[in-house]
Amino acid sequence: MPRPRLLDELTGRILTQIRDEGLRPGDRLPSSRELASRFLVAVPTVREALRRLEATGAVELRHGSGVYVKADVSRLIMVNPNRLALDPGAIVDLLEARELIEPHLAASAARLATDAQLAELTVAFSRTTEALAEDQRLHQANMGFHRTIGRLAGNRALAQVLESLIDLHDQEQRHILDLYGDRDHDHQVHGAILAAVTGRRPEKARRLMTDHLRDVRVVVSAALKVEGA
């Protein structure tokens, strides 16, 4: 089989294995040698296929540790690996896009999430509480809270759009945290959104998420103007 076709088939089979075995983001894949033995190909071919999957964000190669699932492999929208430098204009665009999507997701989560899923959202919020004093952890925890709301809303397409926006604009999201500055207020608003969603009050959840993202956009836009002055 020609090498490009072999790689296409192998990447597809690895993705199928991830799906069929129910592996989730953070789960470890078998070693390259094990995969080579399973799929009857050479180890270098497996490594090349894994690098392809890493470029699309499906897996993460951790030096000295192994290969881990990075994204839900059912996602139809993947991040372009050829990332450009931080674009201030993209920050406002990102927040406007999130402002259109996330209020609907918050309302849907309040209506549709199961009790077990609401417990999952409570855990996601608790991680933000634990990370308040550490910017890197707080960024990851905050994004995890928003991602979880997206997943609980019951619309996989919109959840994937949100996931992709967050992944694509990771640099911008980190900069937003620095520009916004008021971590305690941000945390309190997240707590209010959590209460509305777990209290199954969809319209309140929608309003709180709208106000939250609009407030962040206004503050960040003003800070960017000062930066660019």
Side-chain angles (χ1 to χ4, degrees):
M1 183 181 298
R3 187 169 184 79
R5 282 188 56 200
L6 174 61
L7 285 170
D8 287 345
E9 181 174 330
L10 182 57
T11 54
R13 292 177 72 184
I14 293 172
L15 288 172
T16 298
Q17 176 182 322
I18 291 171
R19 182 197 63 199
D20 291 350
E21 294 186 5
L23 299 182
R24 303 292 301 163
D27 290 343
R28 191 175 185 274
L29 271 67
S31 69
S32 296
R33 192 171 299 279
E34 290 176 78
L35 291 172
S37 176
R38 179 175 303 185
F39 297 126
L40 302 177
V41 296
V43 171
T45 305
V46 169
R47 289 174 179 157
E48 189 172 349
L50 290 172
R51 284 194 293 271
R52 276 188 171 194
L53 292 172
E54 183 181 40
T56 64
V59 303
E60 179 183 5
L61 278 61
R62 301 180 190 171
H63 182 68
S65 177
V67 182
Y68 295 80
V69 178
K70 185 176 181 182
D72 181 351
V73 297
S74 66
R75 278 174 60 177
L76 301 178
I77 303 169
M78 289 294 183
V79 173
N80 182 351
N82 303 310
R83 306 274 294 276
L84 297 176
L86 183 68
D87 176 6
I91 294 177
V92 177
D93 290 344
L94 165 65
L95 287 169
E96 287 181 348
R98 289 182 59 193
E99 199 175 318
L100 288 171
I101 295 169
E102 291 194 63
H104 172 77
L105 292 174
S108 295
R111 283 196 306 269
L112 302 175
T114 65
D115 290 344
Q117 289 174 324
L118 293 178
E120 181 185 349
L121 183 61
T122 301
V123 170
F125 177 74
S126 71
R127 294 194 184 103
T128 69
T129 305
E130 295 164 1
L132 275 172
E134 188 179 333
D135 281 359
Q136 173 60 21
R137 285 183 61 210
L138 181 58
H139 165 70
Q140 296 295 340
N142 280 344
M143 293 302 97
F145 179 74
H146 283 273
R147 290 175 196 267
T148 302
I149 289 176
R151 284 191 285 103
L152 303 191
N155 186 311
R156 287 183 296 175
L158 283 178
Q160 287 179 13
V161 169
L162 177 61
E163 286 267 359
S164 299
L165 281 173
I166 289 173
D167 288 345
L168 179 63
H169 293 285
D170 184 66
Q171 294 181 80
E172 287 83 359
Q173 288 290 168
R174 292 171 194 270
H175 199 43
I176 286 168
L177 182 63
D178 292 334
L179 292 170
Y180 188 66
D182 195 341
R183 287 148 178 73
D184 290 335
H185 176 69
D186 191 55
H187 185 65
Q188 290 170 9
V189 173
H190 281 173
I193 292 169
L194 170 71
V197 174
T198 56
R200 301 196 179 279
R201 301 177 67 183
E203 291 312 311
K204 185 172 183 179
R206 183 194 304 276
R207 176 176 56 79
L208 287 171
M209 185 66 82
T210 299
D211 291 347
H212 170 48
L213 292 172
R214 184 172 298 151
D215 178 50
V216 173
R217 177 168 56 83
V218 169
V219 172
V220 167
S221 296
L224 286 170
K225 288 178 182 177
V226 171
E227 266 194 355

